[in-house]
Every structure is written in structure tokens, then in C-alpha cells.
Amino acid sequence: MDLVVCGIAGRMGGAIARVIHQTRGVRLVGAVDRPKSPRLGKDAGELTGLGRLGVPVSDKIEPWLKGKPAIIDFTRPAASLGYLRRAAKYKVPIVVGTTGFSPGEWSEIKRLSRSTQMLVAPNMSVGVNLLLGLLGSVARSLGEDYDVEIVEMHHRFKKDAPSGTALALASTIAGAWKRDLNKVGVFGRKGIVGVRARKELGVLAVRAGDTVGEHSVIFGGLGERIEFVHRAHSRETFARGAVRAAQWLVRQKKGLYSMQDVLKLRQIGLTK
Ligand code: NAD
């Protein structure tokens, strides 16, 4: 399977190129980064520590799309939307790991997915997706007497907050308790905020050093506290998930998919 990676010069782009190199049956045929990037024209293999691959970094994706590859995109929301539009136009499968889409951008993604196979997931790791699958039943079993707080920690370079994963975790719990996250979500606290409202769902973002990604989901009751913690040790976990998602996606019908579909968590009853 031929793959084009968008955001090749980024932290995730490099990790994905290295996983593609180690994975049988897939090969990197195209490498894209932003216009005016100093990396344009450089060899993607040399850029990502793999040695020469003969794939120059370009700011144009179209020349590769005629060969019907699959796209893996980890860039930023406006750029990803451009690649999703082109995937729809050329009817090629696309996996997007970018986070921070606005509700309007999500509506456009849903519309575009009528034309081709699209998978958009804020977290491609098996562990986080397992957690997402479990949390709905945990929340329903515990009942609404528990206070939920989600704390996420990422590296200092991360641009969006809270993380897409923290939002996905929060909306899973809100959904299980039939609450609207837009109404009950509390994204940080300061000053005399008063007693915690029963229905609040707290989401707090920490930015420190080179932390790859950590999420804690805390259910606080009277007399006990339950915590679920996921720590990503390296970006390889996300990169492996992205390549696995692309291999899975090419075999599906057009439509919008998530990592829960790839990992078959629905079939084993972990999600609704
Ligand atoms: P990064 O800043 O290191 O890399 C982003 C790359 O995209 C850069 O090389 C940048 O030049 C490039 N870019 C910007 N505009 C572009 C354009 N128009 N066309 C092509 N390339 C363009 O960021 P990162 O740490 O690699 O993260 C990228 C995104 O992936 C973020 O949104 C992050 O939150 C997300 N992320 C998702 C997961 C997941 O599992 N889904 C995991 C880690 C990071």
C-alpha cells in the first residue's frame, strides 16, 4: 500500500515515516509539509533519520493523488481540512490525527466523508481507545454521585488545549450521563469559584517540557476515588495506530470512521 504523509517534518510525521519503514506491505511514496517550510525539497528519508528514500518533501499533494495512495495527515486543523477536501475530490482514503477541529469543521468533515473513506481520531493509541470504550460503562455503573475531573499533560509545543483526547474522554462520560459537555464542562478554575456544582465535568490542561501525552480520569466519591491513567511513553504508539488505521481503512466503504472501529471495540461491546 502506498502512503503519502502530510506534516512529514513534524514530530508525528517523523514517527510515522519510521513506522512505515518498519512495516511490511506499506511504503512512503509522498511527503508533504507546509508552503515555505525550510524542509521543502529535502529527502523525506534523510529528514526522518532513515537514510535516502528518493522521496522529496513537497508542499503540493496533487501529483501523488493520481496514483491512488492513502493519506496520513498530522498537521493542524486548517491544513487537514484542505487535505480532507482533496481526498474527497480524488476519492482516496485519508487518516487524520490532527486535533482541535471546531464544530463547523467537524460538520464539513462529515459532509466530505460521503465521497471517500475518512478516519479522524484525536488519539491513535490502543490504550486510550480502550479507555474510551470502557468509560461509558464505568460512568453508568458508578452513577452520577461521583465528581469527574480529567487532567491532561502534554509537551510545551502543543498548540491546542485541552487535548482532543481529553475532550473525547469528557464527552464519552457526559454522553453516558446524558449531560451536554458545552453546558457542564469547566475548563480550568480560578478565584472564589464556590462549591463544586454536582453536574460539573472538569477538564484541566498542563503543559510541561517534552511530555508525550498523559491523561487521568478521576471519579471522586465520598470516601473513595477511582483514577484511570494513560501515559504515552513515545509517539511510536500513535504512529503505529495511524499506519494500522490506514491499512484497515482501505478495505472499508466510504464514510467517517474512528479508531474504535479499527480496534473493533464496538463488536466486543465496549462502546455503544
Ligand atoms: P508538529 O508541529 O511537530 O508538526 C506539524 C507539521 O505539520 C509541521 O511540520 C508543520 O510544518 C506541518 N504543516 C503545517 N501546515 C501544513 C500544511 N498546510 N501542509 C502540510 N504540512 C503542514 O506537531 P505534531 O506534534 O506532529 O502534531 C501534529 C498534530 O497531530 C497536532 O494537532 C497534534 O495534536 C496531533 N496529534 C495527534 C495524535 C493522535 O494520536 N491522533 C498524537 C500526537 C499528536
Side-chain angles (χ1 to χ4, degrees):
M1 184 171 74
D2 289 347
L3 290 169
V4 173
V5 174
C6 300
I8 191 76
R11 284 173 286 263
M12 278 306 302
I16 291 163
R18 290 186 286 278
V19 167
I20 292 172
H21 200 64
Q22 296 159 10
T23 308
R24 268 213 277 169
V26 294
R27 65 176 178 153
L28 184 76
V29 296
V32 186
D33 213 88
R34 68 178 161 80
K36 299 199 182 125
S37 163
R39 312 288 159 77
L40 296 182
K42 295 207 166 28
D43 185 84
E46 284 171 357
L47 186 67
T48 54
L50 295 167
R52 195 166 174 74
L53 290 176
V55 178
V57 179
S58 169
D59 58 354
K60 299 202 174 34
I61 196 170
E62 275 87 355
W64 284 305
L65 297 187
K66 295 183 183 102
K68 299 284 175 201
I71 304 170
I72 299 183
D73 166 272
F74 280 70
T75 53
R76 54 191 190 85
S80 298
L81 216 54
Y83 296 121
L84 284 156
R85 286 184 196 127
R86 270 165 277 180
K89 181 175 167 199
Y90 286 85
K91 303 212 179 305
V92 297
I94 180 166
V95 170
V96 175
T98 305
T99 57
F101 292 111
S102 68
E105 288 169 330
W106 272 112
S107 305
E108 184 174 353
I109 295 171
K110 281 183 195 137
R111 191 175 53 70
L112 290 169
S113 69
R114 289 189 214 133
S115 304
T116 190
Q117 307 101 295
M118 298 185 164
L119 185 146
V120 184
N123 195 306
M124 306 261 174
S125 89
V126 174
V128 160
N129 284 285
L130 187 69
L131 189 55
L132 278 167
L134 286 170
L135 276 180
S137 352
V138 171
R140 277 187 293 274
S141 304
L142 285 175
E144 301 196 32
D145 249 5
Y146 286 76
D147 301 326
V148 172
E149 297 281 317
I150 294 171
V151 184
E152 59 100 335
M153 191 190 299
H154 283 85
H155 51 88
R156 64 169 72 148
F157 306 105
K158 185 164 176 62
K159 297 188 183 81
D160 54 318
S163 69
T165 304
L167 289 172
L169 293 164
S171 68
T172 301
I173 297 167
W177 284 343
K178 301 197 172 26
R179 295 181 193 169
D180 179 354
L181 187 60
N182 292 318
K183 293 194 182 131
V184 300
V186 173
F187 299 91
R189 297 182 181 88
K190 192 181 177 217
I192 314 294
V193 293
V195 177
R196 188 187 196 281
R198 291 295 301 281
K199 297 216 160 176
E200 262 176 41
L201 222 153
V203 184
L204 307 163
V206 180
R207 295 290 171 264
D210 59 358
T211 312
V212 174
E214 300 192 4
H215 292 87
S216 301
V217 181
I218 302 158
F219 289 87
L222 297 179
E224 68 171 358
R225 187 174 74 234
I226 308 163
E227 297 186 11
F228 293 84
V229 181
H230 178 270
R231 294 191 180 95
H233 295 177
S234 82
R235 289 183 177 81
E236 194 179 323
T237 182
F238 309 127
R240 287 203 176 281
V243 173
R244 180 171 169 183
Q247 288 173 307
W248 177 88
L249 191 63
V250 293
R251 301 195 304 270
Q252 310 307 314
K253 292 188 284 210
K254 58 190 174 187
L256 183 59
Y257 299 94
S258 74
M259 226 31 214
Q260 308 278 304
D261 300 309
V262 181
L263 300 171
K264 299 194 172 54
L265 294 179
R266 288 189 214 288
Q267 280 95 321
I268 58 172
L270 279 177
T271 56
K272 277 189 284 176

